[in-house]
Amino acid sequence: MALITFSGYPCSGKSRRADQLKSHLESLLQAPSYTGRKLKVEILSDDTLNIDRSAYDSSRSEKPARGALFTALQRQMGQDTILIVESLNYIKGFRYQMYCAGRELKLRMCTVYVLTPAQVCKRWNEERTDGRKYAPETLDNLIMRYEEPSSMVRWDSPLFTVAWEDADVPAQDIWKAVTEGIVKPPNVGTQSVPKAPTDALHILESITTQTVSAIMSAQSMNVATGGPTALSLPSSPPLEVRITLPPRNVTLSELQRLKRQFVSVHKKAIVIGTTEKGHVEFGERSVAEKFVQYLEENFKP
């Protein structure tokens, strides 16, 4: 139903803010004024996945940690869940990846930026006694590489900034964003491309060959040439299509040339799918009608 991405320096207080927001959202969901569907609020974080802080000591160990977070995110996202992702999320490319995953499921999304000065983060890191402390050099490196969220880019907006001195999160504004915000349609680039049926190549070759034979047969039987002509194709079951022929005899070589062009164009769509309105249709009647239309458009006068 919604995806809330937290972002901020290490040890900036994101966990505390996420807990505050979860508590507020659960209260709003249980309020008598709420009449929507039944939802649950979940927090996904490095701690819930048992990802140690040492995973960020090197890019080699950080990459699988981010992969584990993204896999868990995909598994927990859903129409019955408000998912709070409380992690560093300091790379804008990773935030965009999560944004695209949310769009695929038509979720409402927002970003919460926990803004805390670097020196405060370093002090809080040193004061930790729960075993979740970052190595000083790791902390410095993460702060240096941090890519700040921006309300100007679609994957970070709407953006809510929570300063470290603030007593609480803007729960009402976030609630409005995740319950009334715009649901963006899936990105075309993230949608799976439908594939043609396994016998599409056979149908394409068979139907176009039958159509060429039917045109040659119709021309040999008619004294007058040109005009609307009914073609009977010996498929199973038999098909009948209509074609408007030019006012001359169409030669076999011309038909074969147009057939090769048509088949060549559509073979690519069969092999890799087509993005034309997300629709793939390679039934016998559809192929016959498309081929007839292609011939009519390419016949020379």
Side-chain angles (χ1 to χ4, degrees):
M1 186 268 187
L3 175 65
I4 303 172
T5 303
F6 270 70
S7 183
Y9 287 161
C11 294
S12 59
K14 296 185 299 299
S15 298
R16 180 169 65 93
R17 300 303 189 181
D19 288 337
Q20 287 178 334
L21 179 59
K22 183 176 187 290
S23 177
H24 285 303
L25 293 178
E26 288 177 337
S27 296
L28 290 167
L29 287 170
Q30 295 169 7
S33 58
Y34 176 70
T35 57
R37 69 171 70 181
K38 186 177 181 181
L39 301 173
K40 59 184 178 180
V41 183
E42 300 284 352
I43 293 179
L44 176 65
S45 67
D46 291 349
D47 294 334
T48 62
L49 295 175
N50 295 316
I51 296 175
D52 194 83
R53 299 297 189 268
S54 61
Y56 295 95
D57 289 347
S58 68
S59 58
R60 187 172 184 177
S61 58
E62 181 182 341
K63 188 174 181 180
R66 269 203 316 271
L69 179 68
F70 186 72
T71 299
L73 174 140
Q74 290 179 301
R75 185 169 57 247
Q76 292 185 230
M77 284 191 306
Q79 292 299 320
D80 63 341
T81 304
I82 298 176
L83 182 62
I84 300 172
V85 183
E86 183 271 298
S87 184
L88 293 180
N89 302 323
Y90 70 99
I91 301 173
K92 62 183 178 181
F94 185 60
R95 295 198 298 270
Y96 176 70
Q97 188 179 7
M98 293 192 291
Y99 166 81
C100 290
R103 283 188 65 170
E104 283 190 68
L105 295 179
K106 300 181 179 180
L107 305 183
R108 292 184 173 92
M109 291 171 281
C110 70
T111 302
V112 179
Y113 177 26
V114 181
L115 181 58
T116 306
Q119 290 305 318
V120 175
C121 294
K122 292 178 181 180
R123 188 179 78 241
W124 286 351
N125 184 58
E126 289 300 321
E127 294 173 352
R128 299 196 77 148
T129 58
D130 56 3
R132 297 173 182 172
K133 185 185 297 186
Y134 291 91
E137 58 274 14
T138 300
L139 184 63
D140 289 337
N141 185 40
L142 290 171
I143 290 175
M144 181 182 66
R145 293 192 290 125
Y146 185 78
E147 296 176 332
E148 186 176 321
S150 171
S151 60
M152 301 297 291
V153 296
R154 62 188 183 278
W155 58 87
D156 286 334
S157 62
L159 178 65
F160 302 95
T161 301
V162 184
W164 69 290
E165 307 107 322
D166 292 350
D168 209 341
V169 295
Q172 287 292 340
D173 293 335
I174 296 173
W175 168 258
K176 188 174 181 179
V178 299
T179 57
E180 302 176 18
I182 297 173
V183 178
K184 297 181 180 179
N187 194 322
V188 173
T190 66
Q191 292 181 342
S192 59
V193 178
K195 298 293 183 180
T198 54
D199 61 345
L201 281 172
H202 171 73
I203 292 174
L204 181 65
E205 188 65 39
S206 174
I207 292 298
T208 52
T209 299
Q210 291 176 20
T211 303
V212 168
S213 298
I215 291 173
M216 296 302 297
S217 176
Q219 287 188 144
S220 66
M221 294 174 61
N222 295 333
V223 177
T225 58
T229 304
L231 303 177
S232 181
L233 307 185
S235 58
S236 181
L239 290 176
E240 184 172 295
V241 293
R242 299 190 66 82
I243 187 172
T244 301
L245 296 172
R248 61 176 177 82
N249 274 326
V250 181
T251 65
L252 178 61
S253 61
E254 181 181 357
L255 289 172
Q256 293 285 17
R257 175 177 57 80
L258 293 173
K259 171 182 172 292
R260 285 193 299 270
Q261 292 174 355
F262 179 84
V263 169
S264 177
V265 168
H266 287 77
K267 268 187 178 180
K268 184 176 181 181
I270 291 174
V271 174
I272 66 172
T274 179
T275 58
E276 182 184 355
K277 297 182 181 179
H279 183 64
V280 174
E281 179 56 65
F282 282 99
E284 291 182 342
R285 176 166 293 280
S286 178
V287 170
E289 291 173 349
K290 287 179 180 178
F291 183 44
V292 164
Q293 182 181 0
Y294 180 82
L295 291 174
E296 290 176 341
E297 292 173 351
N298 289 274
F299 278 144
K300 295 179 181 179

